[in-house]
Amino acid sequence: TCPPPRHTASRVPLEVSTNGQDFTTNGLLYDYLGFAITSITPSRGPLAGGTDVLVQLDGVLDALDFHCQFGLTPHVPATKLVNGSQLQCRSPSHAMGLVYFAVLSYQDNTSASTEFEYVAEPRVHSLTPTSALHDSLTPVYVRGEHFLNTSTLTCAFGSARADATYISNTTLVCV
């Protein structure tokens, strides 16, 4: 293995030498990326769009004109956040499924990509019980549709948040 030396974003030939002077001439290309996506949060959102996606980037972020693309939808502008290594993009509406997600910089002519998933919006039809003492730890069973078994599954009781346990795509328990 040989980690590549630092370089500006570009495509360069990669050649090998055993004596430091005479290099191969195979012409295989290596891409230096200007930046890479290290994470997006959340990685899924509703079909209607409107999810503010926080994009964590690594690399050189000198460009001022970042855009995001969700699948084949038109690019949406990205807001560069104060810390300089994060962007925020609002997802447009899209059909259900896993889509290509990219951050683009027209100024540097660079991009980085990962995936974003469009899912049906969960719906709540009923809950049991419908009331409990304010300081009790009574589990609340929620019935509905389109629930997903995710590590971020949460119930909101007004402004208070509670962990949720996935039972099925139609049932979960808030504790």
Side-chain angles (χ1 to χ4, degrees):
T1 60
C2 60
R6 294 188 67 72
H7 197 279
T8 58
S10 61
R11 178 173 275 189
V12 297
L14 178 115
E15 305 297 349
V16 176
S17 171
T18 58
N19 66 8
Q21 286 186 339
D22 302 309
F23 287 86
T24 60
T25 57
N26 295 323
L28 297 176
L29 297 176
Y30 180 82
D31 288 321
Y32 279 99
L33 303 175
F35 55 88
I37 297 172
T38 57
S39 67
I40 62 171
T41 307
S43 60
R44 69 180 56 86
L47 307 177
T51 301
D52 288 326
V53 178
L54 183 65
V55 184
Q56 182 70 44
L57 298 172
D58 186 24
V60 180
L61 305 178
D62 294 333
L64 301 173
D65 65 339
F66 289 104
H67 290 79
C68 294
Q69 185 175 17
F70 294 80
L72 298 176
T73 62
H75 305 166
V76 294
T79 303
K80 193 171 180 180
L81 301 182
V82 175
N83 72 6
S85 65
Q86 294 177 328
L87 303 175
Q88 188 168 23
C89 305
R90 180 161 289 165
S91 67
S93 62
H94 197 282
M96 189 178 316
L98 201 58
V99 299
Y100 169 86
F101 172 85
V103 172
L104 312 162
S105 167
Y106 301 127
Q107 179 181 336
D108 295 342
N109 196 29
T110 56
S111 67
S113 64
T114 188
E115 294 177 325
F116 183 84
E117 184 177 18
Y118 280 91
V119 295
E121 183 119 23
R123 294 186 192 167
V124 173
H125 299 301
S126 65
L127 49 116
T128 306
T130 58
S131 63
L133 294 173
H134 69 88
D135 59 352
S136 73
L137 296 176
T138 305
V140 177
Y141 289 83
V142 180
R143 306 243 189 285
E145 56 187 303
H146 308 300
F147 299 149
L148 297 175
N149 189 8
T150 69
S151 61
T152 56
L153 190 61
T154 307
C155 295
F157 294 83
S159 61
R161 302 290 188 259
D163 290 335
T165 301
Y166 179 86
I167 305 297
S168 72
N169 66 344
T170 60
T171 307
L172 56 88
V173 179
C174 304
V175 183

